[in-house]
Amino acid sequence: MSARVLLRERPNRAIALATSSHVLIFRHVTSSGSHTGPSASTTSVHSSSGSTTNGPRCVVELSASGKTDLSEYKTITYSVHGTLGLITVENDVFLCVVSGTSKAATVRPGENIQKIGAVDFHCLNSSEHDHLLHDDINLYNTDTLDEDGFEHDQHHQGRKEGTLEHPCLALRKLLSGGSFYYSVDFDLTNRIQDRSEDASTFDFDTFDKAYLWNSYMIKPLIDFRSRLSSFEREALDSTRLLTSAIRGFASTITVPASSSPARSAKTGLPSTLTLISRLSCKRAGTRFNARGIDDDGNVANFVETETVFWSPSGTCLSYVQIRGSIPLFWEQAPGLLPGQQKITLTRSAQATQPAFDKHFEELMVKYGNAHIVNLLSNEKQSEIELSSRYRNHVGHSSLNSRQDETASSDHGQLQETDYDFHAETRGPGGYQAAIMIRQYIQDSVDSFGYCLTETSGNTAEKVAELDEAFRSTIILQQQGVFRTNCLDCLDRTNLIQTIISHLAFEAFCGQRGEKLSPDVLARHGSLWADNGDALSRIYAGTGALKSSFTRHGKMSFAGALADARKTATRMYINNFADKGRQTTMDMLLGRLMGQAPVYLFDPINDFVTSELSRRSLEFTSSRDVKLWVGSFNLNGRSNGINSDLSPWLFPSSLPPAQLNPDIVAVGFQEIVELSPQQIMATDPSRRQAWEKAVKRTLNAAARARSLEEYVLLRGGQLVGASLSIFVKVSLLPHIKNVEGSLKKTGMSGAAGNKGAVAIRIDLDATSICFVTAHLAAGFSNYEERNRDYWTISQGLRFPRHGAIEDHDAVIWLGDFNYRIGLSHEKAKNLAANRDYERLYENDQLNLQMVAGLTFPHFSEYRLLFPPTYKYDLNTDNYDSSEKARIPAWTDRILSKSKGNQTLRQLSYSAAQSLRFSDHRPVYATFTASVRVINEAIRDRLSKELYAQRLAAIGRARTNSRSNADTLIDDLYSTSSRSSSPSLQDRGDDLLSLANESGKGPLPPASSERSKWWLDGGMPARSALQPPLTNGGASMVPNPQRPANPFGPTDKPGWIPKGAANGGAPALPSRHVGVKLEAEKPVLPSRPADPRASSTPSSTPGSAVPTRKPTPAQAAPPPVPRKKPELTASSLSRPTSTVAISAQQRAKSPGGKSLMDDDDGFDAMGGGVGGGGMSGWAPLKPS
């Protein structure tokens, strides 16, 4: 069902998707509103980038076409096929609609798959981009995308000034590229075996979120749908406007009845062969930007491919395979030459095992047993290392350790076959020799089986005639899955998966007593070749290599030339275009730093969120984690690797409680000699040797104390600077999102002799960042060191978790090279005398931090150890060479945490006994208070609060509308459920609609005692009462107490009523100093400045004439009077009055203030002697 896109500019911008039966309206909210038609369901949405008043807001409304006035709308697109959702780009909210589609596949009758060919982005809150809406785009050109995902080519320079391109151009190009598919007939995110025949197409809970690429954009509308009544939900579903999109490949080819392995004798109709590949969005990315696994067990380039064969007899075969990057923590740098594309394993085997096990445990739950087919080379050193680690993890997998020890390894839950594809196909047989892999996997093919379904009733004629969904029964289920990988999971993987699919198809035909005809095999191979090309274009930018063989069964010369061209194109795209493509993918998935999501404004949810924040202690706890942090400049020495490092890692001066840290962060500088040859490249061998030495010392001490051992979490190196993080094994399940990054500062960023290495982790709900740095050397180069700090702090960024300052806790360690501004001899003498205070007063880092020029807001523990630089080797003597370098604390550890609560430093010192370098290693211990969120309790509490709030609103709606706890959410969502007209933009013009009766469930008018916007019937006025004496008598404020509440006094604040003024009631404290005198004349006017004194002045030139009171005006003798009650109304403008000037006040007849009460008290705070007129006059009728 197609829809039209309608636009209304005034009074408020609105965009509508109109079908023949219903209209879905997205309206921008301004300060004014208007009524909508009756029977409309409305919910407000806004961007979370700002509040509901500052950020862009809109209202989503569903109503019947015949009951909606669309006369003010104009049609801007006559045919769209649904919406992918809402997204915020540059603080504007955009609605994404599918404007072009083509039919890609038909899995079974009534189950059609559409390929998205074009999308449009309509801005809900601005018309600024409308003129760029229909600009033509090149669907496949990515050369002009910068790293932010936007065009920068010259073609766009001549566009309308002020806006060079549409903000969503990169997204539009991505979504229109032919790699996205959707279906309005069935759940495309799940394979046939996992699909529920009775489930709604739009039941978001049944979608496999791993394959739903528009989940970030469509979620607001799915939430909107969940709030509707069952009738309205069915109406929305009937429009087929909500679209769930996958990315990958889908295609169907026809198999003639004559060659079909499941012939239909009755109809003679052809069968269909369909291939569906679903690319996971969990670790989505381009070739060199997404490699390996993450802490949640998601791997890069993970694809589920389903082969579906359907025959008119009602028989349907489904066979699923998966591919995915090697599930280790590894990275690969891009490069123009193959030798430059080095592979780096970023975590130790022990630190990788939990994520590895999590990955395969999820596969077991979904697919059953898994058979790994590893196609890496046994000749390339980098691939050999990956394969070796892969085998090691399979052997140590918890899945294999749980199986029966008597069971054969060939029938375990997790099997592995290493098959060197290049070596096996190097002979004269070429790629045809790859078919020999069947001897290694045939047993698993037979044991895994396949999914087989039959149409209920086997009514072939009806199925063939009606293009509608039908019910089927699962006869067989697939019991396992092949997981195939090479390095990129593209070319070799696709060819082997084609063979495995062929073997499964053969097994299906063999059980039916049939054989696959050459025609079916040719069609099958062509389909897989198209699949390989499509997946390769997504991940690497070009079609797949070896596709000529996959398509035709042999490799031609033309195919070899095509592969060479694709290789060169990949090299260019991976090095120059993939950053932009990666950024666009992250924008689509809502993963950019600071990207503001669009979510449904639901007052109940807002209440729940507020309550959860208020009651966070119920599901949030904290625990202390001990950290040891150390830094050591090795001066290029390697002779200390075999030394005993325990004086540094486990100093005897520390109490036992600090000798068992949970996390150990070790930073080295000058780990290699900084020669001209070294500063341009990084050799990891020296770092790995030191990591082994540190780990050996840590675990030796742990075993000696019968404590838990450590594993290497991650290491990083920039030429001579390295950082390594070790953690206890028990802490691994609590650590996620481990990332590393580097920043060069040497030679203006060209060389790595100076710079920083950073590693960040999420420990439960707390983010911690460690940075080791080696800053510019030289006594007088402190300004350059300051610049190095700012370059690193602002320029170093993690791929997915922002900058250094975005973390809860940050620890800097390293050789910062700040010196002490004293002479060599004076500094030596002060150090010898342990006068560290004098040294610190002249420390450059201290002075620069005090001046705010470097490390702002960082703190450093007190320095109570000698300067750590520069020593003569193997001695405790400071530099005795001709250069006579001044002793200095060049090696430092600084920390900062948000709220100064996350980190607490316990110690700070140096290990003086390690003398093989000209520096002394420093160390610090911390306690980190880590937030732990119990998600189960939080979810349960959230559901309870939502149900309670919903029930309370229902009761309030059923009861009197005068209840003070009538809620704004009653206005936003309740009226759509009644027959009364709903309110458009009702949150912005409640006051203007308050007097219109019968227009909807408006609250009662507010009063002094009741405000409809206050929750729970709380009073608008204070209910505070004065205290009582022991006898129960009332008390009043003490008029003798000084007016300054902060001044010293021995006067009580309250006294018994009648105790002041000789039995007369005490005046309120604001009347202190005003004496009531009947004979005192009344001044004719009050000063214009209400803050000025109203007392008559005796100064010449400033006195005002006084008039004596007439007998009629004379005040009676003082009598006890009731103290005026101070209320909110008495301190505000009186009803039906206007302000008058000082001159007008003088004209008051009788000299009496218009606001004087019957006792002569001025309601604005004066008395009979405190000013004649109040400043207010009666409001005259117009």
Side-chain angles (χ1 to χ4, degrees):
M1 181 182 294
S2 63
R4 293 179 299 147
V5 180
L6 308 175
L7 172 65
R8 187 194 70 186
E9 289 287 358
R10 293 178 178 81
N12 298 318
R13 184 175 173 87
I15 294 175
L17 299 180
T19 66
S20 58
S21 59
H22 289 81
V23 180
L24 192 63
I25 299 176
F26 302 83
R27 181 180 293 106
H28 179 233
V29 175
T30 59
S31 59
S32 61
S34 58
H35 295 292
T36 62
S39 303
S41 298
T42 310
T43 306
S44 175
V45 314
H46 65 85
S47 166
S48 66
S49 60
S51 65
T52 57
T53 57
N54 297 326
R57 291 192 301 164
C58 60
V59 171
V60 181
E61 175 188 341
L62 175 69
S63 59
S65 296
K67 299 180 180 180
T68 306
D69 183 11
L70 299 176
S71 60
E72 297 179 351
Y73 290 78
K74 63 179 180 180
T75 301
I76 56 176
T77 304
Y78 282 92
S79 180
V80 295
H81 307 276
T83 174
L84 293 176
L86 297 158
I87 191 168
T88 302
V89 180
E90 298 180 358
N91 295 322
D92 289 327
V93 178
F94 291 88
L95 172 69
C96 178
V97 296
V98 180
S99 55
T101 65
S102 59
K103 188 175 180 179
T106 299
V107 182
R108 296 180 293 189
E111 295 182 348
N112 299 309
I113 300 175
Q114 305 293 328
K115 178 195 288 188
I116 297 176
V119 298
D120 291 327
F121 285 86
H122 299 276
C123 186
L124 299 183
N125 58 293
S126 173
S127 61
E128 179 182 355
H129 313 294
D130 289 355
H131 68 286
L132 300 171
L133 183 61
H134 299 292
D135 282 3
D136 293 332
I137 61 173
N138 182 344
L139 300 182
Y140 305 105
N141 179 25
T142 60
D143 301 345
T144 57
L145 288 181
D146 60 20
E147 63 180 20
D148 294 323
F150 295 102
E151 295 280 356
H152 60 77
D153 63 328
Q154 294 181 355
H155 170 71
H156 296 277
Q157 299 300 319
R159 292 186 185 274
K160 184 175 179 180
E161 190 170 349
T163 304
L164 298 180
E165 63 182 20
H166 197 285
C168 302
L169 179 62
L171 283 172
R172 193 172 162 219
K173 177 177 291 188
L174 175 68
L175 292 168
S176 303
S179 62
F180 289 87
Y181 300 82
Y182 75 96
S183 175
V184 296
D185 302 322
F186 68 101
D187 177 9
L188 187 54
T189 65
N190 280 298
R191 58 177 177 164
I192 288 178
Q193 182 170 316
D194 295 336
R195 249 194 270 152
S196 172
E197 295 294 336
D198 299 325
S200 167
T201 305
F202 304 105
D203 190 351
F204 194 70
D205 292 334
T206 65
F207 289 163
D208 191 332
K209 308 303 188 300
Y211 306 118
L212 187 63
W213 273 72
N214 67 320
S215 60
Y216 174 75
M217 294 199 300
I218 199 65
K219 190 177 185 303
L221 299 182
I222 295 293
D223 290 341
F224 168 74
R225 176 185 176 275
S226 68
R227 303 285 188 268
L228 300 177
S229 64
S230 58
F231 173 78
E232 292 169 326
R233 193 178 303 124
E234 291 175 2
L236 178 60
D237 292 348
S238 68
T239 64
R240 298 188 175 184
L241 289 174
L242 304 189
T243 304
S244 55
I246 68 166
R247 194 179 193 196
F249 174 78
S251 183
T252 296
I253 59 173
T254 301
V255 179
S258 57
S259 57
S260 173
R263 298 178 179 86
S264 175
K266 285 186 178 182
T267 64
L269 295 174
S271 304
T272 59
L273 184 62
T274 302
L275 201 63
I276 306 172
S277 284
R278 306 173 180 94
L279 175 63
S280 172
C281 61
K282 292 294 186 179
R283 189 166 169 78
T286 53
R287 187 182 180 194
F288 290 106
N289 290 295
R291 291 291 205 192
I293 196 172
D294 65 15
D295 290 285
D296 293 320
N298 305 308
V299 296
N301 201 21
F302 185 85
V303 184
E304 177 190 87
T305 302
E306 182 178 17
T307 305
V308 181
F309 173 78
W310 178 84
S311 75
S313 64
T315 301
C316 183
L317 162 74
S318 167
Y319 189 77
V320 167
Q321 302 177 68
I322 56 176
R323 68 175 76 181
S325 186
I326 301 166
L328 308 175
F329 290 96
W330 63 284
E331 298 172 353
Q332 187 176 19
L336 294 176
L337 299 177
Q340 295 176 337
Q341 301 169 356
K342 292 184 178 180
I343 293 175
T344 304
L345 286 162
T346 60
R347 287 205 204 176
S348 65
Q350 289 172 295
T352 301
Q353 194 70 47
F356 182 93
D357 290 342
K358 186 180 295 185
H359 172 71
F360 280 101
E361 285 170 359
E362 291 179 356
L363 295 186
M364 297 299 137
V365 171
K366 184 170 184 179
Y367 300 106
N369 295 345
H371 189 139
I372 299 168
V373 180
N374 179 24
L375 306 177
L376 293 182
S377 171
N378 290 326
E379 299 172 354
K380 298 180 180 179
Q381 184 58 40
S382 58
E383 295 190 16
I384 291 174
E385 186 178 6
L386 284 174
S387 293
S388 175
R389 283 282 297 273
Y390 202 172
R391 284 192 297 272
N392 177 68
H393 285 294
V394 172
H396 290 84
S397 172
S398 58
L399 296 171
N400 284 337
S401 63
R402 289 197 296 261
Q403 72 184 48
D404 188 355
E405 294 182 359
T406 62
S408 169
S409 60
D410 294 335
H411 299 282
Q413 289 183 301
L414 192 58
Q415 304 173 53
E416 183 188 17
T417 296
D418 288 325
Y419 187 80
D420 186 345
F421 181 89
H422 289 311
E424 297 290 342
T425 59
R426 190 175 294 141
Y431 294 146
Q432 292 179 345
I435 193 65
M436 299 305 295
I437 196 176
R438 71 183 302 164
Q439 62 184 312
Y440 304 109
I441 63 174
Q442 186 65 55
D443 288 345
S444 292
V445 171
D446 295 337
S447 64
F448 290 166
Y450 46 82
C451 175
L452 184 66
T453 68
E454 295 282 353
T455 303
S456 300
N458 198 26
T459 55
E461 291 81 1
K462 183 176 182 181
V463 168
E465 292 173 1
L466 300 179
D467 187 29
E468 60 183 21
F470 58 94
R471 295 181 61 84
S472 60
T473 303
I474 295 179
I475 307 300
L476 297 174
Q477 287 190 331
Q478 186 174 338
Q479 302 295 325
V481 69
F482 282 97
R483 187 196 190 280
T484 310
N485 71 268
C486 53
L487 193 64
D488 296 322
C489 303
L490 296 176
D491 316 315
R492 292 174 276 180
T493 297
N494 196 70
L495 197 153
I496 294 300
Q497 283 196 326
T498 305
I499 294 173
I500 295 174
S501 178
H502 173 194
L503 296 178
F505 217 164
E506 273 189 352
F508 165 71
C509 295
Q511 288 193 349
R512 299 175 61 89
E514 303 274 356
K515 286 189 176 180
L516 283 176
S517 66
D519 177 64
V520 173
L521 287 178
R523 296 170 188 269
H524 176 264
S526 177
L527 201 58
W528 271 96
D530 292 339
N531 174 71
D533 286 341
L535 296 179
S536 181
R537 276 194 292 269
I538 294 171
Y539 191 57
T542 71
L545 308 183
K546 308 173 182 63
S547 61
S548 176
F549 174 81
T550 307
R551 194 179 304 277
H552 304 295
K554 60 182 180 179
M555 193 65 182
S556 63
F557 179 72
L561 288 179
D563 285 355
R565 176 180 55 81
K566 292 173 184 176
T567 300
T569 305
R570 278 186 187 181
M571 189 182 306
Y572 172 81
I573 291 176
N574 297 158
N575 281 276
F576 301 107
D578 274 358
K579 274 194 175 181
R581 295 202 306 149
Q582 180 70 52
T583 301
T584 306
M585 281 190 217
D586 290 340
M587 183 188 300
L588 174 65
L589 298 171
R591 295 174 183 169
L592 290 181
M593 285 296 297
Q595 186 173 358
V598 178
Y599 65 92
L600 283 175
F601 174 73
D602 184 348
I604 303 180
N605 270 333
D606 285 353
F607 167 80
V608 172
T609 301
S610 175
E611 283 294 294
L612 287 176
S613 177
R614 187 177 65 85
R615 299 172 60 178
S616 60
L617 293 179
E618 297 182 28
F619 55 84
T620 303
S621 60
S622 64
R623 62 189 181 98
D624 288 341
V625 176
K626 291 172 287 187
L627 282 71
W628 182 98
V629 179
S631 176
F632 197 174
N633 186 314
L634 298 171
N635 194 27
R637 307 288 172 174
S638 60
N639 56 344
I641 291 178
N642 297 320
S643 301
D644 181 14
L645 301 178
S646 57
W648 178 38
L649 298 172
F650 296 97
S652 58
S653 60
L654 292 182
Q658 297 181 31
L659 295 177
N660 183 31
D662 300 295
I663 299 176
V664 175
V666 180
F668 291 112
Q669 302 82 42
E670 297 187 34
I671 200 170
V672 296
E673 293 185 11
L674 299 180
S675 63
Q677 294 79 16
Q678 290 276 10
I679 65 174
M680 302 304 293
T682 297
D683 179 11
S685 59
R686 190 71 65 85
R687 171 178 61 85
Q688 293 168 353
W690 278 104
E691 286 174 344
K692 290 179 180 178
V694 171
K695 184 179 177 182
R696 182 174 61 247
T697 305
L698 290 173
N699 288 337
R703 286 190 293 269
R705 297 178 173 88
S706 300
L707 299 174
E708 190 177 0
E709 296 189 5
Y710 296 86
V711 298
L712 175 65
L713 181 66
R714 176 161 182 155
Q717 182 179 351
L718 175 65
V719 186
S722 76
L723 178 62
S724 304
I725 308 295
F726 301 85
V727 301
K728 290 183 176 179
V729 177
S730 61
L731 207 61
L732 289 174
H734 302 277
I735 296 176
K736 290 186 178 181
N737 300 321
V738 181
E739 285 188 310
S741 186
L742 310 172
K743 186 64 178 179
K744 299 177 181 179
T745 59
M747 297 174 61
S748 300
N753 61 315
K754 295 294 186 287
V757 182
I759 295 177
R760 57 93 55 211
I761 65 174
D762 283 338
L763 183 55
D764 289 320
T766 300
S767 58
I768 305 176
C769 180
F770 301 93
V771 185
T772 187
H774 196 187
L775 306 185
F779 179 86
S780 60
N781 289 341
Y782 57 86
E783 291 183 348
E784 186 175 351
R785 289 187 275 276
N786 294 347
R787 287 194 294 270
D788 284 353
Y789 162 77
W790 289 109
T791 299
I792 296 168
S793 179
Q794 297 177 354
L796 188 147
R797 301 190 69 85
F798 298 97
R800 298 185 183 275
H801 293 90
I804 296 173
E805 297 296 321
D806 295 330
H807 295 78
D808 296 324
V810 180
I811 299 177
W812 281 68
L813 57 144
D815 182 359
F816 299 159
N817 260 320
Y818 286 93
R819 309 304 172 89
I820 293 176
L822 296 172
S823 67
H824 180 265
E825 288 300 322
K826 189 172 182 77
K828 282 179 59 176
N829 292 334
L830 291 174
N833 295 327
R834 297 187 177 184
D835 192 351
Y836 303 133
E837 291 295 332
R838 290 280 303 278
L839 288 172
Y840 189 67
E841 289 173 1
N842 294 276
D843 176 67
Q844 289 179 348
L845 178 57
N846 172 40
L847 297 174
Q848 296 300 303
M849 290 178 65
V850 169
L853 301 177
T854 189
F855 290 99
H857 310 297
F858 278 83
S859 62
E860 184 179 29
Y861 212 65
R862 190 177 181 187
L863 289 163
L864 296 176
F865 53 89
T868 57
Y869 172 86
K870 173 183 182 42
Y871 288 89
D872 292 336
L873 295 180
N874 300 311
T875 72
D876 288 330
N877 302 323
Y878 286 109
D879 187 17
S880 60
S881 67
E882 293 181 0
K883 293 185 178 180
R885 293 181 177 87
I886 301 170
W889 286 298
T890 58
D891 308 279
R892 311 291 274 266
I893 299 175
L894 307 178
S895 64
K896 179 173 70 172
S897 57
K898 293 182 179 178
N900 297 320
Q901 297 177 352
T902 303
L903 288 178
R904 183 167 61 91
Q905 190 165 350
L906 305 176
S907 65
Y908 191 22
S909 190
Q912 300 293 338
S913 61
L914 295 179
R915 302 182 178 91
F916 56 82
S917 171
D918 59 354
H919 290 252
R920 294 292 182 265
V922 296
Y923 62 87
T925 57
F926 298 86
T927 296
S929 180
V930 176
R931 292 176 62 244
V932 181
I933 297 177
N934 190 318
E935 296 292 346
I937 296 178
R938 186 182 188 279
D939 292 343
R940 176 179 56 78
L941 182 59
S942 176
K943 292 178 181 178
E944 291 177 358
L945 289 171
Y946 195 95
Q948 292 171 6
R949 191 64 165 178
L950 193 61
I953 292 170
R955 290 193 299 269
R957 192 180 307 137
T958 304
N959 297 333
S960 171
R961 296 301 301 184
S962 62
N963 290 342
D965 60 346
T966 303
L967 303 171
I968 295 179
D969 52 332
D970 212 4
L971 299 171
Y972 275 97
S973 58
T974 307
S975 61
S976 60
R977 307 296 184 266
S978 66
S979 59
S980 304
S982 62
L983 301 177
Q984 170 190 349
D985 308 338
R986 54 182 67 101
D988 293 290
D989 54 351
L990 293 175
L991 295 178
S992 63
L993 298 173
N995 295 325
E996 299 184 21
S997 59
K999 298 293 186 179
L1002 288 176
S1006 60
S1007 66
E1008 295 177 2
R1009 297 183 179 275
S1010 175
K1011 309 291 185 187
W1012 57 263
W1013 56 85
L1014 295 180
D1015 292 339
M1018 295 298 293
R1021 292 168 54 186
S1022 172
L1024 200 63
Q1025 298 294 328
L1028 302 176
T1029 63
N1030 293 334
S1034 298
M1035 300 184 74
V1036 295
N1038 186 357
Q1040 305 302 321
R1041 188 177 177 88
N1044 182 4
F1046 303 102
T1049 179
D1050 57 354
K1051 303 293 185 181
W1054 295 86
I1055 60 175
K1057 187 175 181 180
N1061 297 329
L1067 296 175
S1069 60
R1070 64 188 179 97
H1071 293 279
V1072 172
V1074 178
K1075 185 176 181 181
L1076 298 180
E1077 298 180 2
E1079 295 79 16
K1080 188 170 182 176
V1082 180
L1083 298 179
S1085 64
R1086 181 190 293 266
D1089 184 356
R1091 297 168 297 179
S1093 172
S1094 297
T1095 306
S1097 173
S1098 60
T1099 306
S1102 63
V1104 294
T1106 61
R1107 57 183 177 87
K1108 296 180 179 180
T1110 62
Q1113 295 171 325
V1119 295
R1121 293 171 295 165
K1122 182 181 179 181
K1123 180 179 70 70
E1125 182 182 6
L1126 301 180
T1127 65
S1129 61
S1130 67
L1131 300 179
S1132 60
R1133 178 174 68 88
T1135 307
S1136 302
T1137 63
V1138 295
I1140 60 175
S1141 65
Q1143 290 79 8
Q1144 291 172 321
R1145 294 171 195 161
K1147 300 177 181 179
S1148 175
K1152 180 175 171 130
S1153 169
L1154 293 175
M1155 283 301 297
D1156 285 353
D1157 60 18
D1158 292 337
D1159 293 324
F1161 276 92
D1162 181 79
M1164 294 302 294
V1168 173
M1173 297 191 63
S1174 67
W1176 301 101
L1179 180 65
K1180 297 180 180 180
S1182 56

